[in-house]
Amino acid sequence: MTTDPYAPLEIRRPQDGAPMGMVPVDRPEGVFQAVSRVREVQVGWASLPPTDRARRLSGVRREVERRSEEIADRIAGETGKPESEALTEVAVVLGLFRYLEDIAPGLLSPRSVSTRWLFPRRAWVEREPWGVIGIISPWNYPFVLTMEPVITALFGGNGVVLKPSEFTPFSGAVIPDLVEAGGLPEDLVRVVQGRGPTGAALVESGVDRIHFTGSPATGRKILAAAAPRLLPVSLELGGKDPALVLEDANLERAARGIVFGSFFNAGQTCVATERVYVVDAVHDAFVRRVVELTRELRAGPVGSIDIGPMTVPFQLELVEAHLADAREKGAEILCGGERIDPASNVLTPAVVTEVTSEMKLISEETFGPVLPVVRVRDEEEAVERANAQSFGLFASVWTGDAERGVRVARRLRAGGVSINDTLAHWSVAGLPMGGVGESGFSRVHGEEGLRDFTRARAILVNKGRRSRDPWWYPYTPFTRRIVRALIRWDGRDGIRRLTGALGGLFRRGP
Ligand code: NAD
């Protein structure tokens, strides 16, 4: 294994380790050049009205639609995930495209603001692009987690330099091509390839904002590197999402939903269910059903499978280490947790009980096909345990009473919660996604996501006919009376109070 951080990437198929190709790595000079080139092109893109940008981006959307199978093949090829899961990445991107086409022109148009007592002036807020955004992405959803920030940045008028994960370079590599083929200017989006040092160079390159999706450890490094230059950073980090199964839940739906939410993409999902708290009264029935359903899943390298190989060997080893730690500390592995053969990265999906907070399965992100179940007394204990974690990305509550579910949801420390559902929130492009605590603090999707990719510029217009305003220099007793009048009139309660306050101007007072 090479120690040169700029040696070409050697990509191997997760199914069998067969070589897929070599990818040259960009050194810092190459990254800086890419940023300068995108900056030149971005100026013209930013000058277009939001409506025109949205119209032109619909061309890119059509290109993604047209090439959806080819894109899914790339995703499945380098990650090993089943074809339907690869296509889901494309579907989620298209959902966000359509949502942004609908909302971007309105959200990015100037919004007028009352000047309250400062008439006759006009004021409004405009949204302007940051400039060039550096996007750094992980390997678990190599297309959706790269393309979504790219298109959101473009709707906002930005240019982009993106760096895909060193383990999945091919899905990101196609993005500039999709953008250009869809009718946008050449070099508005550029890709640089490489490992951590290439990502670090992007942070140092003079970009105007960094959008990072990945682990909390790397998120911390990026935030520290960004601090000296006060570079704004968005962080979308890991998760350890809890599911709370209450005694009145539809157990069949809860079992099926949680099995799906835990094992989708072999558990390599930031919003995967990684901890299940089940109320004592239904614990045994729930576990029985979950084990039955898990045993039915077909895990394998290729073909008609539900669960494919894990994308990178080191992640498989980490999951095995978590299982070993749990076993040593007294957990019971009811099924799964075994490699199907030495060549492929396939781990059979595991259900684990007798799990405690001291085990890594609860205290750390596992990011693999493991479903740990914890027995709790009641709703209260479920909430308490769910919140006793530094991550706070997403959560789910399973109950026959939706209103109760919402009440519980509001007590959970998480960026979002679904009731009797799992992963569906990701396809609702209007719902912001992001976390609290160790899961980061920014948002993608929703109006909030688009706002994050632009900044507010405030404009105030005074026609300038008067030569001075009465509160400008020189200060006089009259100035003081004006300020006192403003203290009395807060601007919200109408003309009667205003005239009362103005009346005070001509009375003698302190
Ligand atoms: P990672 O942090 O190891 O790497 C992510 C990216 O950062 C890669 O492109 C990598 O090359 C780059 N990088 C590494 N060091 C860098 C540095 N010093 N400066 C700049 N860039 C650097 O994460 P990963 O293993 O690729 O992804 C898995 C993690 O991502 C998990 O924790 C998962 O939960 C998280 N994730 C979060 C979300 C979300 O939306 N919140 C989504 C998917 C994955």
Side-chain angles (χ1 to χ4, degrees), residues 136-141 145 163-167 194-197 199-200 203 212-216 218-219 221-222 236-239 269-270 314-315 365 367 393 433 439:
I136 301 176
S137 36
W139 48 263
N140 58 332
Y141 288 91
L145 293 176
K163 193 203 85 66
S165 165
E166 58 271 45
F167 304 107
R195 307 173 176 82
V203 177
F212 171 74
T213 312
S215 63
T218 310
K221 284 189 204 160
I222 290 180
E236 298 283 332
L237 308 178
T269 303
C270 54
F314 64 77
Q315 191 62 38
E365 187 179 33
F367 221 53
L393 199 51
M433 271 194 64
S439 297

Side-chain angles (χ1 to χ4, degrees), residues 46-60:
S47 69
L48 296 178
T51 326
D52 289 8
R53 291 201 298 260
R55 192 173 37 73
R56 293 189 59 182
L57 274 153
S58 68
V60 181

Side-chain angles (χ1 to χ4, degrees), residues 108-111 124-128 455-459:
L108 301 178
S109 297
R111 174 174 56 86
W124 66 90
V125 183
E126 295 179 351
R127 310 266 350 151
E128 60 167 359
R455 61 185 166 207
R457 186 207 295 278
I459 307 276

Side-chain angles (χ1 to χ4, degrees), residues 424-445:
H425 54 273
W426 202 2
S427 322
V428 181
L431 274 180
M433 271 194 64
V436 301
E438 196 95 345
S439 297
F441 43 69
S442 53
R443 295 292 181 266
V444 291
H445 290 191

Side-chain angles (χ1 to χ4, degrees), residues 117-348:
W117 59 275
L118 272 171
F119 45 82
R121 291 166 170 83
R122 285 183 305 127
W124 66 90
V125 183
E126 295 179 351
R127 310 266 350 151
E128 60 167 359
W130 290 96
V132 181
I133 299 198
I135 293 174
I136 301 176
S137 36
W139 48 263
N140 58 332
Y141 288 91
F143 185 66
V144 70
L145 293 176
T146 315
M147 190 64 171
E148 285 196 335
V150 168
I151 64 172
T152 315
L154 293 176
F155 272 95
N158 303 281
V160 173
V161 176
L162 66 100
K163 193 203 85 66
S165 165
E166 58 271 45
F167 304 107
T168 52
F170 299 122
S171 306
V174 76
I175 290 176
D177 181 40
L178 292 169
V179 168
E180 281 165 41
L184 266 57
E186 192 181 340
D187 287 340
L188 183 59
V189 175
R190 288 277 295 262
V191 64
V192 292
Q193 298 282 8
R195 307 173 176 82
T198 302
L202 188 53
V203 177
E204 298 292 328
S205 65
V207 286
D208 302 288
R209 187 176 178 102
I210 286 285
H211 181 91
F212 171 74
T213 312
S215 63
T218 310
R220 282 194 179 85
K221 284 189 204 160
I222 290 180
L223 208 50
R229 52 177 75 239
L230 297 178
L231 176 66
V233 175
S234 315
L235 294 182
E236 298 283 332
L237 308 178
K240 188 79 192 169
D241 291 2
L244 285 67
V245 182
L246 306 183
E247 68 288 348
D248 61 352
N250 172 344
L251 272 200
E252 183 63 16
R253 180 171 176 83
R256 285 184 179 276
I258 288 169
V259 164
F260 179 67
S262 294
F263 299 139
F264 189 81
N265 197 27
Q268 304 161 112
T269 303
C270 54
V271 287
T273 299
E274 289 216 5
R275 303 175 282 153
V276 189
Y277 298 104
V278 189
V279 167
D280 185 42
V282 292
H283 175 274
D284 294 353
F286 174 81
V287 168
R288 247 191 326 273
R289 191 64 187 125
V290 159
V291 170
E292 279 168 12
L293 292 166
T294 303
R295 286 207 167 111
E296 285 168 14
L297 296 176
R298 297 157 301 170
V302 283
S304 303
I305 50 167
D306 302 305
I307 300 194
M310 299 195 62
T311 300
V312 282
F314 64 77
Q315 191 62 38
L316 175 56
E317 284 156 22
L318 185 142
V319 176
E320 287 178 323
H322 279 202
L323 284 170
D325 169 77
R327 200 183 283 112
E328 262 168 41
K329 292 175 179 160
E332 208 177 324
I333 300 174
L334 300 182
C335 62
E338 282 148 11
R339 293 188 190 219
I340 63 162
D341 64 55
S344 70
N345 292 343
V346 180
L347 191 72
T348 54

Side-chain angles (χ1 to χ4, degrees), residues 467-476 479:
S467 56
R468 92 177 260 283
D469 279 322
W471 52 88
W472 288 4
Y473 298 132
Y475 293 147
T476 65
T479 320

